[in-house]
Amino acid sequence: MLVGLALLVLAGVLYAAARTTSVFAVQTLEVRGGTPALRAQVRAALAAERGRSLLAVDGTTIGRRLDALPGVRSFTYDRAFPHTLRVVVRREVPALVVRRVPGSDGFLVAASGKVLRLLAHPHRSTLPRLWVKNTVPLVAGEPLPPALAPAAAALAAVRSAALPGGVRTVRVTGEELTLTLGGGLQVRLGDDGDLRLKLAIARRILRLTGAAATGGGYLDVSVPERPVLAVNPRVGG
């Protein structure tokens, strides 16, 4: 028992020493995932970890530093002894542009609902638009206001399986969520419940009927069991 206790104490001493000495100091910071620009931002944010013992590296500190980067959605890290800290990041995926009126500013927003950054030239983006009043607070790195979060959720669901004609704008009014397609047809989703089911039904109806190319009207799938399609066919002459 005395030998075992002595070994335990010795292990504790050695571990404490390893945390405070350069035996396992971080010399290489290996960043994977994301874009080259995002990886460069991550390396810069974690530069202070160089020289620190791998045993002293912790996820809380890394998370606090990466939280300042709007482009990082999540991360994992690994200690690759003896001297490498490996970080794998998952980037935020842009889903829409929020435009405030009156005014000309526009903000890039991720599918997660996080505001990524202010756009210098928002009119150049081909992403769907969400128009809001200029009193709506939007801050890079922060989530959209709760009332607007359904817009990002809907477009995140659309990204996995596009609607015919693509989405031009998204509108959130109370509990009513509406997508306007490239041809002008509205897809009325109601609230943000069962979004994937509603969009799957809408996608199937649009593909079977070709209604997305009619140039107007609406497809109401707010009650998935009872979809309603009303189109304004173009009149040829």
Side-chain angles (χ1 to χ4, degrees):
M1 290 179 63
L2 291 176
V3 172
L5 182 60
L7 290 175
L8 182 62
V9 171
L10 179 60
V13 171
L14 292 175
Y15 179 78
R19 282 176 59 91
T20 57
T21 66
S22 60
V23 175
F24 297 121
V26 176
Q27 297 178 5
T28 302
L29 182 58
E30 183 180 306
V31 182
R32 300 178 181 178
T35 63
L38 183 59
R39 291 195 293 272
Q41 292 175 15
V42 171
R43 282 191 289 269
L46 299 180
E49 296 296 321
R50 294 183 183 275
R52 190 180 183 191
S53 173
L54 279 171
L55 295 173
V57 170
D58 66 276
T60 301
T61 301
I62 294 175
R64 186 168 58 249
R65 289 172 176 161
L66 296 189
D67 280 346
L69 303 179
V72 175
R73 181 171 185 177
S74 62
F75 73 93
T76 59
Y77 75 98
D78 180 41
R79 302 177 182 91
F81 290 94
H83 300 297
T84 300
L85 174 61
R86 182 178 297 121
V87 179
V88 180
V89 294
R90 184 181 179 192
R91 71 183 183 95
E92 293 282 8
V93 179
L96 72 153
V97 174
V98 179
R99 300 294 305 272
R100 292 196 294 199
V101 291
S104 59
D105 60 356
F107 291 81
L108 187 65
V109 177
S112 67
K114 181 192 286 188
V115 180
L116 298 180
R117 67 177 185 274
L118 177 68
L119 292 173
H121 305 284
H123 59 281
R124 295 181 182 178
S125 175
T126 59
L127 291 173
R129 264 50 173 175
L130 170 63
W131 299 88
V132 300
K133 295 181 179 179
N134 63 1
T135 55
V136 173
L138 297 171
V139 180
E142 298 294 326
L144 283 173
L148 303 179
L155 292 173
V158 169
R159 285 187 61 86
S160 61
L163 292 172
V167 179
R168 186 173 65 199
T169 63
V170 56
R171 185 174 74 247
V172 182
T173 307
E175 294 188 354
E176 294 295 321
L177 181 61
T178 303
L179 307 178
T180 300
L181 304 185
L185 183 81
Q186 292 184 351
V187 177
R188 300 176 182 176
L189 300 170
D191 61 28
D192 60 348
D194 297 322
L195 279 177
R196 293 191 181 276
L197 173 62
K198 293 173 181 177
L199 289 169
I201 293 171
R203 190 177 302 111
R204 182 171 179 80
I205 291 174
L206 293 174
R207 287 176 176 172
L208 288 174
T209 63
T214 61
Y218 67 88
L219 171 58
D220 190 326
V221 290
S222 56
V223 181
E225 299 82 2
R226 296 190 297 275
V228 178
L229 176 63
V231 297
N232 299 324
R234 291 172 178 162
V235 179

